[in-house]
Amino acid sequence: MEINLTTQEPGRIACDALIVSAARKASDSGLVLSPAAAAVDTVLAGLIAERNADGEFKGGVGELLTLHPGDKLAAKRVVLVGLGALDKLDNQAVRKATAIAARHLQKTGARTIAVAVGLAVNNFSVEDEAQAAIEGALLGLYTFRAYQSKENTSSVNQVILAATQEQKAGFEQSIRQAQAMAEGTNFARSLINEPPCVLTPVELANRASAMAKEVGLECEIFEKEKIQQLGMGGLLAVSKGSVNPPRFVILRYRGGDEGDKGMALVGKGITFDTGGISLKPGANMDAMKGDMGGAAAVLGAMLAIGRLKPAINVTAFVPTCDNMPSGSSYVPGDIVRIMNGKTIEIVNTDAEGRLILADALSLASQEGMSPILDLATLTGAMVVALGHPMTGFFSNDEQLAEAIMSAGRATGEKYWPMPLDEEYGESIKSEIADIKQTGGREAGAVTAAKILEHFVGNAKWAHLDIAGTSYVDSPKPYQEKGGTGVGVRTLTELAFRLAGR
Ligand code: BES
Ligand code: ZN
Ligand code: ZN
């Protein structure tokens, strides 16, 4: 996708469609038009105001009004998109609205689209608005069509951002950031969307390595022998039932001080979760190709971090394997020894994620990194607790928790804090091992987090359970069915905040 900046007046940009925006006034049903929308309204003799007065366009977030300016403008079509109430305007409204507009245009044949911004209000700058608009367009235009043989229907191949002469330098920076954030997110989405017959643990490691090479990150991949030497008993146990061997991927980005260990990102990389011997029911099992959503998010964030270069050291740890039932599978009743020496009594082979994460967290903590953030499609219980709108997270450090909430607000990904209180540790006590793998039905997302807590040592740590947010089962106006790439933008933003920008 080509992104260009132009200082031409929006009305003079030759394109298939020009996107302009309007917000709703707080006081009445009237609109506040962006400068470009106001210019279009003038050229079209008050058409927008008229459509608003008839009730055809009210300016809600993502509401669209298509206008055909004939030869009055260089654009073939103008799409006016609503940004919602002006007093609530933020980058998420702009991101979502632009994604909806761009997606709609792509579906209706546009190839070149221009975007004009300029409604910045409150404490939200026009540079932030431009970044959100480009991010929204790139996220909205994403499709995964690699396996469809029918000739691909047209797709947008150029996005032009309109700027004034004074805005130009700032918008160049907005585009750079938006492009890296969207590229990282869409990279994660494609990893999730790949079928499991293609995206095996070996293939996931290969893609991580190819990406690392492209972006300039150090990459180390451990094969089974090395995993055995290191004593990663969790990863070995889970991978036992599959013909696909496990991998353990480490990527390093060095933007901080030489001796500084920096932060660690850990991602659950189960390339397919059948449940193993504790087999899952068949319905919707296909979505379990997305059980490497945590790994995808971490890799996508490393891509964006590698491109944007924050002044901090960041290391990614990705344990990856699949969870299959077979004669060689691990079974309930087994006892598994994790890399840090602790033992876990297996009670349900479908609770595999915590086992592979335990090894990865042990290694990150052993290397002295802090904070450690892990992302995982870990529990169905988290989906029950918060559904799809928000990611629930756990942290042993209040400042880190606040930083996650605030990075999430900036990137439009929503997070909600969950508890780690001592009482929740009761149900994972084991009579024959150090801990028991699961704590039963109650508070399943919390007891899973309590298990992970045993492996982080003294590090500041946060666990983000993205089971409900990493994958959407049905298409939305702003994104298609499949991986969402949740976490990529928050982790990248967090890297900048921890680096002090
Ligand atoms: N990968 C699943 C969790 C999941 C469920 C992710 C739904 C996305 C959507 C995980 O490995 C799992 O199966 N967890 C079990 C744990 C239980 C056996 C303690 C669960 O949540 O049921
Ligand atoms: Zn499972
Ligand atoms: Zn799983």
Side-chain angles (χ1 to χ4, degrees):
M1 178 81 56
E2 215 184 300
I3 316 255
N4 297 309
L5 194 62
T6 181
T7 49
Q8 277 183 312
E9 298 245 323
R12 291 177 186 274
I13 305 172
C15 55
D16 293 323
L18 167 68
I19 301 176
V20 297
S21 56
R24 246 182 6 233
K25 276 187 199 161
S27 48
D28 53 44
S29 60
L31 297 176
V32 182
L33 301 181
S34 73
V40 169
D41 193 45
T42 306
V43 170
L44 300 181
L47 194 60
I48 293 176
E50 202 179 291
R51 292 292 179 264
N52 174 237
D54 319 344
E56 189 180 334
F57 180 85
K58 301 194 179 73
V61 179
E63 204 182 311
L64 303 178
L65 176 70
T66 304
L67 305 166
H68 296 93
D71 52 13
K72 294 197 180 115
L73 296 172
K76 288 191 203 145
R77 268 189 272 175
V78 175
V79 165
L80 175 69
V81 60
L83 298 179
L86 187 66
D87 57 342
K88 297 217 176 79
L89 185 64
D90 62 6
N91 46 13
Q92 182 54 10
V94 173
R95 209 179 274 117
K96 190 167 169 186
T98 316
I100 292 173
R103 218 175 149 67
H104 165 77
L105 288 168
Q106 175 158 268
K107 280 195 184 144
T108 51
R111 298 183 71 84
T112 304
I113 61 180
V115 181
V117 295
L119 252 187
V121 285
N122 309 333
N123 47 10
F124 172 47
S125 72
V126 73
E127 286 78 17
D128 287 343
E129 189 194 354
Q131 183 183 334
I134 296 299
E135 237 172 65
L138 295 177
L139 296 172
L141 292 170
Y142 171 85
T143 56
F144 185 75
R145 294 284 176 275
Y147 297 92
Q148 260 178 354
S149 38
K150 75 169 186 243
E151 212 31 57
N152 209 346
T153 44
S154 101
S155 57
V156 170
N157 55 24
Q158 194 190 9
V159 178
I160 305 166
L161 177 64
T164 62
Q165 203 57 47
E166 304 78 69
Q167 289 169 337
K168 209 176 156 210
F171 279 17
E172 268 161 15
Q173 188 57 20
S174 305
I175 291 178
R176 189 174 94 90
Q177 299 211 5
Q179 250 179 323
M181 291 286 201
E183 192 189 350
T185 306
N186 290 341
F187 177 75
R189 293 165 84 179
S190 289
L191 290 176
I192 294 170
N193 293 338
E194 281 290 354
C197 60
V198 171
L199 201 86
T200 59
V202 169
E203 179 63 14
L204 180 61
N206 287 344
R207 298 220 181 170
S209 148
M211 182 274 286
K213 201 161 165 202
E214 198 197 314
V215 182
L217 308 171
E218 290 167 34
C219 173
E220 247 181 303
I221 293 170
F222 300 159
E223 302 192 352
K224 191 172 168 187
E225 220 162 68
K226 176 80 179 175
I227 294 168
Q228 273 165 336
Q229 275 170 21
L230 290 172
M232 294 183 161
L235 181 56
L236 286 170
V238 177
S239 68
K240 264 169 67 180
S242 178
V243 293
N244 294 320
R247 287 290 184 268
F248 192 98
V249 181
I250 303 180
L251 301 185
R252 293 177 205 271
Y253 162 77
R254 305 206 60 90
D257 295 338
E258 189 67 38
D260 190 21
K261 301 286 185 196
M263 78 160 160
L265 305 179
V266 173
K268 171 177 171 183
I270 296 290
T271 50
F272 196 75
D273 184 9
T274 64
I277 292 298
S278 313
L279 193 64
K280 284 181 182 297
N284 304 321
M285 206 203 272
D286 59 312
M288 282 300 121
K289 73 175 181 176
D291 210 20
M292 30 56 71
V298 163
L299 295 174
M302 291 305 281
L303 196 173
I305 287 169
R307 292 246 196 264
L308 294 173
K309 309 203 183 313
I312 185 175
N313 296 328
V314 188
T315 308
F317 297 90
V318 173
T320 174
C321 67
D322 44 26
N323 186 21
M324 301 293 277
S326 85
S328 58
S329 296
Y330 82 128
V331 297
D334 278 351
I335 293 177
V336 165
R337 188 181 297 276
I338 302 301
M339 190 184 169
N340 74 348
K342 289 195 186 179
T343 55
I344 303 182
E345 176 191 357
I346 303 305
V347 292
N348 185 327
T349 62
D350 197 10
E352 82 297 338
R354 58 200 77 187
L355 302 176
I356 71 168
L357 290 172
D359 282 324
L361 292 169
S362 300
L363 181 57
S365 145
Q366 200 168 302
E367 288 207 14
M369 286 152 189
S370 184
I372 302 175
L373 279 101
D374 80 73
L375 276 80
T377 47
L378 201 64
T379 66
M382 185 56 88
V383 189
V384 173
L386 298 181
H388 303 290
M390 288 193 174
T391 297
F393 76 98
F394 303 80
S395 181
N396 60 7
D397 185 80
E398 256 177 52
Q399 247 182 325
L400 179 60
E402 193 35 61
I404 291 168
M405 293 288 289
S406 133
R409 279 191 288 270
T411 57
E413 297 179 335
K414 294 187 178 188
Y415 295 91
W416 196 253
M418 301 284 289
L420 280 169
D421 295 48
E422 200 178 297
E423 293 88 328
Y424 292 105
E426 280 303 315
S427 60
I428 53 166
K429 287 189 172 153
S430 166
E431 314 223 316
I432 56 168
D434 295 329
I435 38 179
K436 199 161 71 171
Q437 184 198 18
T438 75
R441 273 176 48 80
E442 288 174 13
V446 188
T447 51
K450 289 301 281 183
I451 304 255
L452 300 181
E453 196 182 26
H454 280 267
F455 302 93
V456 299
N458 297 323
K460 292 180 181 173
W461 159 72
H463 156 59
L464 281 54
D465 190 338
I466 57 172
T469 49
S470 173
Y471 194 89
V472 291
D473 296 317
S474 55
K476 304 272 178 294
Y478 51 91
Q479 74 184 9
E480 63 180 18
K481 173 181 167 170
T484 63
V486 75
V488 170
R489 289 177 295 125
T490 301
L491 291 177
T492 308
E493 175 67 25
L494 199 62
F496 274 95
R497 288 176 183 224
L498 295 176
R501 281 272 152 200

